[in-house]
Amino acid sequence: MTPAVLADLVRSTALAVLADRGLDTSVVPESVTVQRPRNPEHGDYATNLALQSAKKLGVPPRDLATWLAEALVATDAISSADIAGPGFVNLRLAADAQAGIVRETLAAGERWGTGDAMAGLKVNLEFVSANPTGPIHIGGTRWAAAGDALGRVFTAQGAEVTREYYINDAGVQIDRFAESLIAATKGEAPPEDGYKGAYVSDIGAEVLRRNPSALSLPTEERHQLFRTVGVELMLGEIKSSLHAFGTDFDVFFSELTLHNSGTVEATVARLKDSGQLYENEGAWWLRSTEYGDDKDRVVIKADGRPAYIAADIAYFADKRKRGAQLCLYLLGADHHGYIGRLKAAAAALGDDPGAVEVLIGQMVNLLSDGKPLRMSKRAGTVLTMEDLVEAIGVDAARYALTRSSTDSTLDVDLDLWSRRSNDNPVYYVQYAHARLSSILRGAGDLGIDITGSEVDLALLTHDREGDLIRTIGEFPRVVRSAAELREPHRVAHYLESLASAYHKFYDACRVLPQGDEETSPLNVARLQLCAASRQVLANGLRLLGVGAPERM
RNA sequence: GCCCUCGUAGCUCAGCGGAUAGAGCGAGUGACUUCUAAUCACUUGGUCGCAGGUUCGAGUCCUGCCGGGGGCACCA
């Protein structure tokens, strides 16, 4: 019996109890809380329903709890129901009912943990979107890991996710990038505010290799060539880094196409027509304060060129046109000022600002020897995604970056994470998977068939077995809350608790028959528990994009 | 000044309004002739930044203050 089914049982039992006594059944919430108490003496599960409802009913909470407990213990699935504290009802499941979780997990397989909380919802998930003027640095890497995991979690809840990367290939940064490439190719120093670093020379050289006469072109044509080809090459490297990192996008959307196709212009015209823009000091302003922004924003600059936000608005409109019901933006903390204007932009278009959701992720500090590494993208002293992967590996990097809430600034100590030891929690989780794989291989070698449906899972009565089973049962609601709260780090945290429950079980409970022993029903039941545990570890690690090794 | 975010063990971080606040690392002691010791058990370690408020119940929600980080462009 999963917690969700148990919650339904508690709810229906409570409704019946109240109805019997002629009390108001409407005080029972739609969704009843059933949680796993921290203290094992408080049972397998506990519900606070009596505490929540007592006041509204005018009944002492302990009386209500007593009635509920009496009715619950009369059901087959529940072996005991005790009243504790101010009015908790502490429940223990019958072994057979509890073991049903194992059966359900094995039956669901890869689908265990999926749900329909976001069924059919079309989500546009935009993340990373780093300028194609250099490699992805550590901040973008955090989003690559967390955003990708979030996309996987959404998909597990039935959402239709489009992973999107917005390419800022218009604007002055790109011009500076092109000029930097040209300077590097000519062996000159980069222009002021230009880009430095070996990659600039490399890309410049590659542009020249493809177009040997590039440097002798007229200035404007030369600029265009380096700009176009340079961005293409840089983007190619970015895509390749992301792919190696296990993060693939469905759409790479070019800002330039919005300008070139006239979409930006058309969107601005639409805003002007609907009176959302006004002219002041030669520029056109969006009345974004009317929709909650801090200040009005310039959309068309006094020089007649569109400001960055103009393309943003057009881009949002394009996403909606393509069917996105929810447009999620994953931005760094240095962009938090965008929330107001993006929502205002949606409202100004006559759209629902609720379709815009911005997640702000805090910065990553890199430490070496406990000392912070200062980085400057323009100076070329950057720790890139590829550097990080080279230093600690994809699995460790993804895990390190998805393990913590994106609300927290994160310290990544390269020395610590580069130690390939159990300092790294990812090994703890992966090791559990490898151990389980080894046991299941062993069962295969012994010719034990663990697939039988007649296996008596009610034999799993050891404390460690019960704890492991209940932990497995938590997985679906962990995934669900990770999706609803947009907090994929909950999956990582859960996996560590699952690995811990498994390692403790392994320590206390022999799984395979020893020596010449006959295979007992308990061996088979435990093997099913192992198979279920391994399934959940694999499913969870996949949500994080981290490998589940069979051997370590 | 205004906005966002964080403040929990020596360090890095979890913590869905619930009961005696957790994990890893660090420090210490044990456990492999037996399914993977990258593991397990035990010990050490806390005014959950401070002060109010809401609640049967607050690390969690609200307000104020203190401290760290990040923003507050006709840059992108």
Side-chain angles (χ1 to χ4, degrees), chain A residues 137-153:
Chain A
H137 56 81
I138 189 67
T141 309
R142 183 179 202 178
W143 275 131
D148 185 54
L150 191 60
R152 291 168 190 247
V153 163

Side-chain angles (χ1 to χ4, degrees), chain A residues 117-118 121-125 143 146-147 149-151 153-154 157 159 325-330 354-361 402 404-407 478-491:
Chain A
M118 299 174 78
L121 186 70
K122 291 181 166 53
V123 180
N124 184 288
L125 186 62
W143 275 131
L150 191 60
V153 163
F154 282 173
Q157 289 301 316
Q325 294 166 291
L326 177 63
C327 294
L328 225 53
Y329 297 77
L330 276 50
V356 172
E357 191 177 321
V358 184
L359 302 182
I360 296 299
T402 48
S404 300
S405 163
T406 51
D407 284 343
V478 168
V479 178
R480 185 186 172 122
S481 67
E484 289 178 341
L485 300 171
R486 285 82 164 107
E487 292 184 349
H489 75 274
R490 285 170 184 272
V491 174

Side-chain angles (χ1 to χ4, degrees), chain A residues 123-131 136-137 139-155 161-168 235 238 242-243 245-253 315 319 326-332 357-361 385 398 402 406 488 543-544:
Chain A
V123 180
N124 184 288
L125 186 62
E126 184 196 327
F127 60 114
V128 184
S129 298
N131 284 354
I136 295 178
H137 56 81
T141 309
R142 183 179 202 178
W143 275 131
D148 185 54
L150 191 60
R152 291 168 190 247
V153 163
F154 282 173
T155 302
V161 179
T162 302
R163 289 139 199 271
E164 197 143 325
Y165 185 118
Y166 186 49
I167 309 162
N168 296 124
L235 200 59
I238 287 173
L242 284 166
H243 180 72
F245 194 64
T247 300
D248 291 298
F249 287 82
D250 301 303
V251 175
F252 281 85
F253 196 100
Y315 184 28
K319 286 176 178 175
L326 177 63
C327 294
L328 225 53
Y329 297 77
L330 276 50
L331 303 176
E357 191 177 321
V358 184
L359 302 182
I360 296 299
M385 172 183 270
R398 287 188 69 114
T402 48
T406 51
L543 288 176
L544 299 179

Side-chain angles (χ1 to χ4, degrees), chain A residues 7 66 335 496:
Chain A
T66 304
H335 285 78
E496 287 172 39

